Amino acid sequence: MPHQPTQETIHDLLVKNVPREVVMGVEDALAVGAQRAYVAARGMDEGHLPHVVGQLRHFHMNEAFQRALAANGAEPSPIRGNRIVTGRTGVFTLARFNIPIGFWINGRRSRTRKQLSLANMAIEPLIQSELFSGYRPPSDAVAFFVACFSGDLNIQPESPVSIQIAIPDQHMRGWLFKEPLEAFAKRYDQMPVGQNDLAVPKLKKNIGNQQDKYGTGS
């Protein structure tokens, strides 16, 4: 019998596995964390202010992210130093990072994020299903919430310019899917009733390393 390409898409997979309340809770939390970081950095010398703001964004946004995951049943890992905070819902491990807007390559600086992204080999066939045979629904995948900042403290320093949900390829060299959360949230209204399927195995928690001045990690 000839192979029939799957009709599933990556955004379908996200909508089925990541509840709306998790997405909206994370969006609010990251905005709050960024605002707290900006307030905490006031009064610091301009010579190192970009680095201070980047570091404070990392810590405040990590705390806010972890609490949002916990509040919405997404099994957050504990906060421990510079370790990357992850959550789990459906087949997805959820993590986050910050970038100056347009510098998506910064997401590759973390060895842990690259390690997490290896799981996405299983969903790459959803991009070009006609080139693959025998696609099976994945048991593990990773998605990142990416807060994009202006990169200029004179332009909207207190909040992200946008927050996106993004899925990298297995080598984190490109993006299989990325979309602003405000646009992604509308996809839930198009989802058939009862489509959510959150039965999943768990992915081992991982750790991150030190942050650069934008709080992107290493």
Side-chain angles (χ1 to χ4, degrees), residues 54-126:
Q55 288 288 311
L56 289 175
R57 281 175 181 163
H58 167 69
F59 291 115
H60 282 282
M61 293 173 75
N62 250 13
E63 285 192 3
F65 181 59
Q66 202 262 3
R67 290 170 183 169
L69 295 175
N72 291 288
E75 304 180 22
S77 61
I79 293 175
R80 287 180 184 161
N82 278 334
R83 290 185 181 184
I84 287 176
V85 172
T86 63
R88 180 77 178 190
T89 179
V91 302
F92 280 98
T93 292
L94 306 176
R96 58 155 293 275
F97 61 92
N98 300 336
I99 59 168
I101 194 166
F103 285 83
W104 283 82
I105 194 172
N106 280 18
R108 295 168 53 189
R109 292 181 177 179
S110 166
R111 291 187 294 273
T112 299
R113 285 198 291 268
K114 287 199 236 181
Q115 183 180 5
L116 286 169
S117 297
L118 290 173
N120 286 347
M121 176 175 62
I123 61 175
E124 287 183 1
L126 295 179

Side-chain angles (χ1 to χ4, degrees), residues 8 13 17 88 90-92 119-124 126 135-142 199-201:
E8 187 166 54
L13 195 66
N17 286 274
R88 180 77 178 190
V91 302
F92 280 98
N120 286 347
M121 176 175 62
I123 61 175
E124 287 183 1
L126 295 179
Y135 167 77
R136 296 179 181 178
S139 58
D140 288 318
V142 64
V200 298

